[in-house]
Amino acid sequence: MQRDTTAVDQVEQALWRAGARSSAPAFATPVEAWQAGVMRAIRLAADRGGLDVDFSWLALQRAAALLVLTAALSWLLVWQITPATETLLAQEAWLSHSDVVNVDSWNGE
Amino acid sequence: MPGAPAATDAELIARVRAGEVNAFEPLITRHRQQVLAIAARHVPAAEVAATAQDVFVRAFLSLKSYRAERPFGHWLARIAVRACCDFWRQQKRLPETAAAALDGDQADWLEQVTRSAALEAFEKDAERRAATEVLEWALARLSATERITVTMLHRDGHSIRDIAELLGWTAARVKVTAFRARRKLRGWLGAALRKER
């Protein structure tokens, strides 16, 4: 086990050293021709719509979406779930205190 | 205009934002070496030109999100590192680039290193090439972000803080990612060594 760990240590050190020593290959394409290609791509992108929308506009859109979602959830909670729960609770309370319904009579007494 | 002082990055950026696309060209001339160097360290030689082009196109398209508090070069370096990550992410999706087994030369090199106490097994060109191939074999199995993190930390000698800055991460995330990546690498190297014995 110890021998394995030492061997892996050795290999790992050698690999990082080899990686660090291997200099990045020289850029084969003539740099001016490459740059001309980059500018062509950029002009094309500019023609298609230009710079991306500003981050603040995106943030505004996200905030608006969040607001709509929150409003929808609030509506659901306040106008749908809460009244339904209250009605159920009221019915239960009414039933438990009502003289109309005599639980004993259900047992045939 | 001969003798006129060169426009600063901030001035050029303002002109591009105002719609003068050609003002982006001096920015490319000024920063291309840095971008090409980052790409050359992280993607295969055949992909350097395309990756560096992608970096400048992305920078142009998102120029509105650039804030002048930090130098343009730093912002560009972050885009470059992310473009390299994206390159490896795309490679991972291609089935034909799945990590292959070590070939004969690479396996021989592994054996040689474990025998050589002086760690001089990559002094000759062929051996150094084999070592680089073994490293590439191991790195190809990592995720894109693990690969970039571990190479910047262990191969290129960047500090945790630098890497965090370039990747837009916290230092803790860099440490955890590098630790996990290194543990995986060591596991694979150990398995390869046991197989060769």
Side-chain angles (χ1 to χ4, degrees), chain B residues 143-157:
Chain B
S143 75
T145 47
E146 285 172 340
R147 179 191 178 108
I148 296 287
T149 310
V150 85
T151 48
M152 284 203 288
L153 186 66
H154 295 295
R155 189 194 65 189
D156 303 341

Side-chain angles (χ1 to χ4, degrees), chain A residues 4 7-12 14-22 32 34-35 39 41-43 50-52, chain B residues 22 24-25 28-29 32 41 49 52-53 60-61 109-110 114 116 119 122-123 131 154-155 182 186 190 197:
Chain A
D4 275 359
V8 173
D9 283 343
Q10 273 184 306
V11 170
E12 202 193 0
L15 286 179
W16 292 128
R17 282 175 62 187
R21 280 183 179 201
S22 61
E32 300 304 332
W34 167 81
Q35 187 164 325
M39 278 311 293
I42 283 172
R43 285 191 195 99
L51 274 57
D52 277 353
Chain B
N22 286 340
F24 199 73
E25 188 150 18
I28 300 177
T29 309
R32 67 189 178 197
R41 290 300 286 167
Q53 170 168 324
F60 172 78
L61 289 174
W109 179 85
L110 269 182
T114 53
S116 165
L119 290 177
F122 49 87
E123 290 302 325
H154 295 295
R155 189 194 65 189
R182 204 170 153 220
R186 289 176 63 84
R197 281 175 185 161

Side-chain angles (χ1 to χ4, degrees), chain A residues 19-99:
Chain A
R21 280 183 179 201
S22 61
S23 53
F27 186 52
T29 316
V31 79
E32 300 304 332
W34 167 81
Q35 187 164 325
V38 176
M39 278 311 293
R40 268 196 303 279
I42 283 172
R43 285 191 195 99
L44 199 66
D47 288 345
R48 278 182 185 162
L51 274 57
D52 277 353
V53 285
D54 196 355
F55 174 75
S56 56
W57 172 236
L58 279 178
L60 197 68
Q61 281 180 314
R62 281 181 197 156
L66 196 67
L67 199 68
V68 169
L69 190 69
T70 312
L73 284 173
S74 303
W75 174 82
L76 200 67
L77 189 70
V78 173
W79 297 103
Q80 301 297 318
I81 297 173
T82 309
T85 314
E86 279 173 354
T87 308
L88 278 174
L89 288 172
Q91 279 175 349
E92 193 186 318
W94 181 78
L95 282 172
S96 60
H97 293 99
S98 172
D99 292 335

Side-chain angles (χ1 to χ4, degrees), chain B residues 162-192:
Chain B
D162 280 352
I163 300 168
E165 166 79 19
L166 283 167
L167 289 169
W169 289 359
T170 61
R173 187 175 169 191
V174 173
K175 282 182 197 170
V176 169
T177 307
F179 174 77
R180 285 185 186 152
R182 204 170 153 220
R183 193 170 56 186
K184 284 183 191 172
L185 282 176
R186 289 176 63 84
W188 295 326
L189 290 172

